[in-house]
Amino acid sequence: MYTASDLRKGLRIKIDNDPYVVTEFNFVKPGKGQALYRCRLRNMINGSQFERTFRSVDAFESADLQEKKMQYLYQEEDKYCFMDNESYEQVFLNREQVGDAVNYLIDNIEAQVLFFEDRALGLSLSNFVDLVVTQADPWAKGDSVTGNQKPVTLQTGYQILVPTFIEEGEKIRVDTRTGEYLTRVKG
Amino acid sequence: MSRDEPDAGREWRLTRRRAVLEIRARMIQALRRFFVSAGYLEVETPARIPAPAPETHIDAPPAGDWFLQTSPELCMKRLLAAGYGKIFQIAKCYRDGERGDRHLPEFTMLEWYRPASDYRDLMAECEALLPFVLEALGRDAALVYRGERIDLTAPWERLSVAEAFRRFTRLTPEDALRKACFDERMALDIEPRLGRGRPTFLYDYPAACAALARRKPTDPDRAERFELYVSGIELANAFSELTDVDEQRRRFETARAERERLGKADYPSAEPFLAALGAMPPAAGIALGVDRLAMLLADADRIDDIVAFVPEDL
């Protein structure tokens, strides 16, 4: 069971027996008033979305999802193909089901694909993924507010802010939960 | 540590944040200068206390047998009762379960009290404080926050709670309280529309929404309380302070009963505060969120961006 204070982006809960994922989350509390938890929820089966505001007293069951370790193979138009390395079973996820993970999907990366009654609905990646910087502009010392950072493009097309010492061709580690740069990876 | 060690990402985040933390530091120094030059005495009171003021929806974290303060209000009022005159404090405060884009469970509060004053005097003081801070940071009289220009020239907008409900909802505040949706309407329909283009004082709350505020002499169903909003962000909460000991005791009992009904922790009665309250002069008091002011001045979208560490970093 989850309570309202567990709500956060990415949490999967059960509502009317369907699995939902929290796609946007905001904690609001008017002065001296009660805590409110504003969520945008996406039905993981049919993709329908709605907004709902919960209170501290609300409780939720976790969504009945099974995870299966699979490998990402390729993308074909809007479809992303994953394969079970033992049974060679293949499943497809659409762009919406892949979500932010699209920023980290490199060939053969291992993913936990989520199933609800044998239907693939989404995926989780490990918290840290190493990606190659494919484009980085040479850095001219800039203004002080942006500080020691610059935008670069990674091999997946994902644009990310990194320290200025990172150069094209280097590999960096990214936190898939926040989408932020973590560290440079050697070798 | 080399920049390639596992913690390099976090270290880098701190490096990146330095410019904003410098703005925050200069802002806090300017706040101090404002109050010192206006004749206020800076005070410090304990963060760990045995008996927080019971408020229905504010939860003090336990600390041993005592609690961490949710605000320095009760101790500062004891100083007022002892004749200290105008006082201010910049204090760490703690509230369980408050975490969001504008909330941290540990945050910094600027709280000040002035005797022989009411909430209208505090409105005027706020109108002087923000331009002073902006000038100290080398800015002009307009704040630009998330692309919105906020003109800080006095007078700011004054909007009663009743008028705000009329303008932005189909309910009166009393209807909303009866239907138990006052907080929803306030948070979802009203607050985001306040402080647009210039700051807004939202004033005169239903008496039930102000546990430590004086009732309006001309309208006892309302309390002399205001909240200050800038660009939809709640920045400060102020009262003409309640000094009637019996009424304060009754309101604390009501809040404690409400907390019990909601299954929340009970606090011991704040007897030394109640004993001192009879000697407290008529006064007005206000608490301003220092982190939120830093958000506005640093043009930060999230409270995480204007502190060195959030709980998740520790």
Side-chain angles (χ1 to χ4, degrees):
Chain A
M1 285 292 277
Y2 296 113
T3 64
S5 61
D6 296 316
L7 290 168
R8 63 182 184 281
K9 200 174 160 183
L11 188 74
R12 302 182 190 98
I13 59 175
K14 184 158 82 177
I15 301 175
D16 300 333
N17 288 318
D18 275 2
Y20 283 80
V21 61
V22 178
T23 54
E24 282 171 44
F25 171 75
N26 206 0
F27 173 89
V28 291
K29 193 171 190 289
K32 308 269 181 199
Q34 64 181 313
L36 301 169
Y37 304 81
R38 296 192 73 186
C39 293
R40 190 167 178 82
L41 295 151
R42 183 167 58 79
N43 184 310
M44 295 181 73
I45 296 174
N46 61 29
S48 69
Q49 303 202 29
F50 66 93
E51 275 184 22
R52 190 179 283 184
T53 301
F54 298 103
R55 298 181 181 197
S56 314
V57 292
D58 292 320
F60 316 90
E61 284 180 66
S62 61
D64 299 321
L65 298 171
Q66 292 81 47
E67 287 194 349
K68 195 185 280 184
K69 188 162 71 171
M70 299 185 95
Q71 199 175 27
Y72 171 61
L73 293 184
Y74 60 90
Q75 175 194 359
E76 198 175 81
E77 290 168 3
D78 186 38
K79 297 285 182 192
Y80 296 78
C81 181
F82 295 82
M83 184 176 71
D84 182 330
N85 273 338
E86 284 168 19
S87 67
Y88 303 109
E89 171 204 5
Q90 293 187 12
V91 297
F92 290 90
L93 294 175
N94 65 32
R95 173 70 186 77
E96 196 176 29
Q97 291 169 327
V98 170
D100 289 342
V102 74
N103 295 326
Y104 320 108
L105 277 187
I106 47 175
D107 289 353
N108 300 323
I109 192 173
E110 193 177 272
Q112 298 291 334
V113 176
L114 300 163
F115 287 84
F116 179 76
E117 294 171 350
D118 297 331
R119 292 174 60 182
L121 297 179
L123 81 161
S124 304
L125 296 176
S126 69
N127 292 340
F128 309 110
V129 173
D130 295 345
L131 297 164
V132 176
V133 176
T134 52
Q135 197 215 319
D137 292 332
W139 185 245
K141 267 206 179 298
D143 63 317
S144 61
V145 173
T146 51
N148 308 309
Q149 57 185 329
K150 63 176 181 182
V152 299
T153 306
L154 304 181
Q155 64 191 109
T156 55
Y158 181 47
Q159 294 206 337
I160 186 171
L161 290 171
V162 301
T164 50
F165 58 76
I166 297 291
E167 290 166 13
E168 208 165 287
E170 284 193 291
K171 198 176 252 192
I172 63 166
R173 183 157 300 157
V174 179
D175 188 327
T176 60
R177 296 162 297 183
T178 61
E180 288 185 12
Y181 165 89
L182 271 183
T183 187
R184 178 163 65 178
V185 184
K186 282 186 178 146
Chain B
M1 180 166 54
S2 121
R3 62 196 179 190
D4 288 333
E5 294 296 314
D7 270 347
R10 288 217 166 106
E11 297 304 316
W12 177 61
R13 228 175 302 182
L14 285 180
T15 309
R16 219 171 23 157
R17 201 162 285 177
R18 181 175 174 122
V20 164
L21 294 184
E22 284 175 2
I23 293 174
R24 180 188 173 105
R26 278 161 48 217
M27 175 195 85
I28 289 175
Q29 288 151 15
L31 291 170
R32 281 211 162 82
R33 276 203 303 283
F34 178 88
F35 286 100
V36 170
S37 62
Y40 280 78
L41 175 68
E42 179 165 11
V43 299
E44 291 180 286
T45 60
R48 189 168 163 271
I49 54 174
E55 296 195 63
T56 312
H57 298 298
I58 298 180
D59 298 321
D65 293 342
W66 288 11
F67 298 89
L68 295 179
Q69 66 178 354
T70 59
S71 94
E73 181 158 4
L74 301 191
C75 283
M76 288 184 79
K77 285 182 170 174
R78 286 174 69 182
L79 291 173
L80 279 182
Y84 272 67
K86 300 203 287 190
I87 52 175
F88 81 100
Q89 175 164 206
I90 296 174
K92 286 284 188 183
C93 295
Y94 304 85
R95 295 182 180 184
D96 261 349
E98 303 200 1
R99 182 71 179 102
D101 288 350
R102 294 172 190 175
H103 291 84
L104 284 170
E106 171 174 334
F107 61 101
T108 306
M109 189 99 100
L110 163 64
E111 187 144 328
W112 75 95
Y113 290 88
R114 39 185 303 157
S117 306
D118 67 13
Y119 68 156
R120 283 168 304 187
D121 300 308
L122 287 173
M123 292 183 191
E125 204 159 34
C126 289
E127 288 172 337
L129 175 64
L130 262 58
F132 179 90
V133 173
L134 238 68
E135 198 188 332
L137 293 177
R139 317 262 189 94
D140 63 19
L143 184 70
V144 178
Y145 181 69
R146 308 276 94 190
E148 182 184 8
R149 189 173 181 281
I150 311 283
D151 184 356
L152 297 181
T153 312
W156 298 347
E157 183 184 28
R158 284 155 170 78
L159 180 67
S160 73
V161 171
E163 176 59 26
F165 270 82
R166 213 170 6 251
R167 201 177 288 179
F168 301 122
T169 77
R170 292 177 184 173
L171 297 168
T172 65
E174 290 70 26
D175 288 339
L177 281 170
R178 257 195 307 278
K179 294 180 176 173
C181 67
F182 184 90
D183 292 328
E184 272 95 340
R185 298 287 67 80
M186 188 60 93
L188 307 183
D189 300 333
I190 298 176
E191 288 191 332
R193 300 191 166 95
L194 302 180
R196 296 296 174 186
R198 61 179 174 146
T200 301
F201 295 112
L202 185 67
Y203 70 95
D204 284 0
Y205 281 68
C209 302
L212 292 107
R214 179 177 84 187
R215 286 170 193 272
K216 228 173 146 57
T218 53
D219 183 359
D221 290 339
R222 310 218 180 273
E224 291 193 349
R225 168 186 169 195
F226 75 75
E227 293 255 7
L228 169 59
Y229 290 88
V230 179
S231 197
I233 294 179
E234 177 209 348
L235 189 58
N237 177 73
F239 298 147
S240 300
E241 300 295 347
L242 177 63
T243 51
D244 182 321
V245 183
D246 295 331
E247 180 163 3
Q248 184 67 80
R249 193 179 282 280
R250 278 196 301 277
R251 294 216 207 151
F252 276 177
E253 290 311 316
T254 305
R256 285 175 73 181
E258 188 70 1
R259 288 184 63 83
E260 190 184 350
R261 189 181 66 79
L262 294 169
K264 295 183 168 222
D266 191 21
Y267 307 136
S269 180
E271 288 304 326
F273 161 73
L274 289 165
L277 187 61
M280 191 175 113
I286 176 167
L288 181 149
V290 169
D291 308 279
R292 301 225 183 123
L293 184 57
M295 285 173 69
L296 290 168
L297 293 173
D299 196 16
D301 203 19
R302 303 174 64 214
I303 201 165
D304 300 41
D305 297 331
I306 49 81
V307 290
F309 300 98
V310 295
E312 295 79 6
D313 289 332
L314 301 176

